[in-house]
Amino acid sequence: MSLYSCGRTTGLVTQIGHDMSYAVPVFEGRAISYATNSLNLGGLDLTKHMADLLYRERAYVFNTTADFDSIRDLKHTYGYVAVDPDDESLLCTRRIYRLPDGNRIKVEKERFEFSEALFNPSRIGTFSDGIHTMVVKSIETRA
């Protein structure tokens, strides 16, 4: 559907779900199932990783389901993937996120550091290839 919304019928769709990520090549409107690849890493893992970073870097503690809902919202509101994380660390601007209870937390490099786990899953204890390798494998698969 995401290809169709761009007016295309051929391409590669990458989806990061709750607990899994997928790369699905599509040719003329049909998914190429034998070339589909998956990664056992998803949005929930990234949310937990962001909570870990906020704890390690800023001593913010998040334990409840409501806390994790706030972290997920923070991730969706301010999170992004940096082109060059080393350069981004120097240029990153601070953002203030307001929690539902009225407290405010400061986030800087955590805004993009959590997403680095997509490319280096060992950061969160998952020993597999990153999303970039998954995408390349899907593209390079031949019939």
Side-chain angles (χ1 to χ4, degrees):
M1 296 306 284
S2 48
L3 282 176
Y4 291 134
S5 70
C6 296
R8 301 182 187 274
T9 58
T10 299
L12 183 99
V13 177
T14 303
Q15 176 187 350
I16 301 170
H18 184 69
D19 57 1
M20 293 286 291
S21 298
Y22 299 93
V24 182
V26 178
F27 181 72
E28 294 182 357
R30 297 185 186 270
I32 304 171
S33 59
Y34 63 85
T36 297
N37 281 289
S38 62
L39 174 63
N40 192 16
L41 186 145
L44 179 62
D45 300 301
L46 297 175
T47 301
K48 288 177 180 176
H49 185 47
M50 181 176 252
D52 266 0
L53 288 170
L54 290 169
Y55 175 72
R56 280 187 277 152
E57 299 290 327
R58 306 205 178 274
Y60 295 134
V61 179
F62 301 96
N63 294 319
T64 67
T65 302
D67 289 341
F68 279 96
D69 287 343
S70 295
I71 296 298
R72 189 187 54 201
D73 184 60
L74 169 63
K75 178 183 74 173
H76 290 174
T77 304
Y78 290 127
Y80 62 98
V81 175
V83 174
D84 184 339
D86 294 329
D87 285 348
E88 196 72 24
S89 290
L90 302 172
L91 304 171
C92 180
T93 57
R94 176 181 291 169
R95 298 281 189 228
I96 306 296
Y97 180 77
R98 187 180 185 143
L99 297 169
D101 65 4
N103 287 323
R104 295 178 178 174
I105 61 173
K106 299 172 188 170
V107 289
E108 289 178 1
K109 61 184 180 175
E110 301 87 5
R111 294 173 44 214
F112 63 87
E113 277 188 349
F114 79 94
S115 64
E116 286 302 304
L118 289 168
F119 305 97
N120 185 0
S122 65
R123 287 182 172 219
I124 60 171
T126 300
F127 298 98
S128 61
D129 294 330
I131 197 166
H132 59 297
T133 305
M134 177 187 72
V135 166
V136 169
K137 284 180 183 176
S138 287
I139 293 169
E140 291 179 341
T141 299
R142 292 183 173 80

